[in-house]
């Protein structure tokens, strides 16, 4: 079946530190991969996505590369800010299933000044 | 452009009460979804509607019903609320791309 596993949180970093949040997936076929971000008290927003192997998604300084050989889609940012504090969700769309998304459990990031 | 709106934002129910969560989108999207978010479990799909007039069960449909009233609106009904349904509920919509757009959520507590 299809599933997504993220590293557990919470993750606490100092401002300007390097961020990695690990995400691995299990899927049949050729899924699309996503990172969504949820700021406190809000709904989820798309952060970035990749639709095929070796694609790199990027937005707001965040990057993630679709690695089929390791079934991974790790999120990285070179220098985090306090405003990046949020919960980050990795998700996959397995395709041909009505657009359904399968989410990881979420990783809470807290950035301290 | 409002995007996806949900009402109410907060609700407290007693066990056995019923209620309907409302969702509307103004992006002319065909597909709409209801998720619940619980600590440590990410978001789980309750029901979805691939197009007006169709609905399908997701991962956790028990205890819920849905209605796709028209292209804009997709409601979620709890007929007899249980404490296990205490959660945050999100509605989402999707158009021709594979990106889903989420509403702000409804925080439901069942006592």
């Amino acid at each position: 079946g299809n599933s997504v596993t993220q590293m557990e949180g919470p993750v606490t970093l100092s401002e300007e530190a390097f961020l990695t949040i690990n995400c691995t997936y299990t899927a049949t076929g050729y899924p699309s991969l996503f990172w969504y971000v949820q700021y406190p008290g809000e709904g989820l927003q798309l952060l970035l996505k990749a639709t095929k192997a070796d694609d790199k998604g990027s937005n707001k300084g965040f990057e993630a590369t679709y690695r089929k050989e390791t079934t991974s889609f790790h999120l990285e940012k070179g220098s985090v800010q306090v405003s990046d504090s949020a919960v980050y969700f990795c998700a996959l769309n397995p395709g041909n299933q009505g657009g359904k998304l399968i989410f990881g459990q979420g990783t809470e990031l807290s950035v301290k000044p | 452009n409002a995007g996806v709106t949900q009402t109410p934002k907060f609700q407290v129910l007693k066990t056995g009460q019923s209620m309907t969560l409302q969702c509307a989108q103004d992006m002319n999207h065909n597909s709409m979804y209801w998720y619940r978010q619980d600590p440590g479990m990410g978001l789980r799909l309750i029901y979805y509607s691939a197009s007006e007039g169709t609905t399908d069960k997701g991962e956790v449909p028990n205890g819920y019903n849905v209605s796709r009233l028209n292209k804009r609106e997709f409601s979620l009904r709890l007929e007899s609320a249980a404490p296990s349904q205490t959660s945050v509920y999100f509605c989402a919509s999707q158009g021709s791309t594979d990106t889903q757009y989420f509403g702000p959520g409804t925080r439901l507590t069942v006592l």
Side-chain angles (χ1 to χ4, degrees), chain A residues 36 38 49 89 98-100, chain B residues 33 37 42 45 90 98-100:
Chain A
Y36 279 82
Q38 183 181 30
K49 67 179 183 181
F89 292 92
K100 291 186 288 185
Chain B
Y33 307 83
Q37 182 182 24
L45 183 65
F90 288 100
D98 56 4
T99 299
Q100 289 189 16

Side-chain angles (χ1 to χ4, degrees), chain B residues 10-106:
Chain B
F10 301 93
Q11 184 71 49
V12 179
L13 294 178
K14 295 181 180 178
T15 297
Q17 288 185 317
S18 62
M19 79 161 294
T20 299
L21 282 64
Q22 306 287 354
C23 174
Q25 52 92 7
D26 63 2
M27 295 174 282
N28 202 37
H29 287 167
N30 282 325
S31 301
M32 298 185 73
Y33 307 83
W34 276 105
Y35 295 91
R36 59 178 288 173
Q37 182 182 24
D38 302 293
M41 302 188 74
L43 276 74
R44 293 179 293 169
L45 183 65
I46 305 171
Y47 271 94
Y48 68 103
S49 170
S51 61
E52 185 178 354
T54 69
T55 60
D56 284 289
K57 294 178 180 179
E59 182 184 355
V60 288
N62 291 343
Y64 305 95
N65 285 300
V66 290
S67 296
R68 183 74 183 267
L69 304 170
N70 47 56
K71 192 171 187 178
R72 289 188 64 245
E73 298 173 287
F74 188 39
S75 62
L76 178 72
R77 183 160 178 84
L78 287 68
E79 292 290 352
S80 179
S84 61
Q85 294 178 305
T86 293
S87 189
V88 182
Y89 292 85
F90 288 100
C91 178
S93 71
Q94 180 175 323
S96 57
T97 69
D98 56 4
T99 299
Q100 289 189 16
Y101 296 84
F102 285 79
T106 295

Side-chain angles (χ1 to χ4, degrees), chain A residues 60-92:
Chain A
K60 299 181 181 180
F62 291 89
E63 293 182 342
T65 301
Y66 187 164
R67 302 282 188 202
K68 192 168 172 61
E69 64 275 14
T70 55
T71 62
S72 64
F73 193 54
H74 304 322
L75 183 68
E76 296 183 334
K77 186 175 186 183
S79 176
V80 293
Q81 306 299 312
V82 172
S83 57
D84 294 326
S85 297
V87 181
Y88 292 81
F89 292 92
C90 186
L92 71 83

Side-chain angles (χ1 to χ4, degrees), chain A residues 6-7 10 13 23 34 44 48 75 88 93 103-104 106-107 111-112:
Chain A
Q6 291 179 233
M7 65 185 285
L13 295 174
C23 171
F34 304 81
L44 279 70
L48 53 84
L75 183 68
Y88 292 81
N93 179 342
F103 285 88
T107 301
V111 181
K112 306 297 185 186

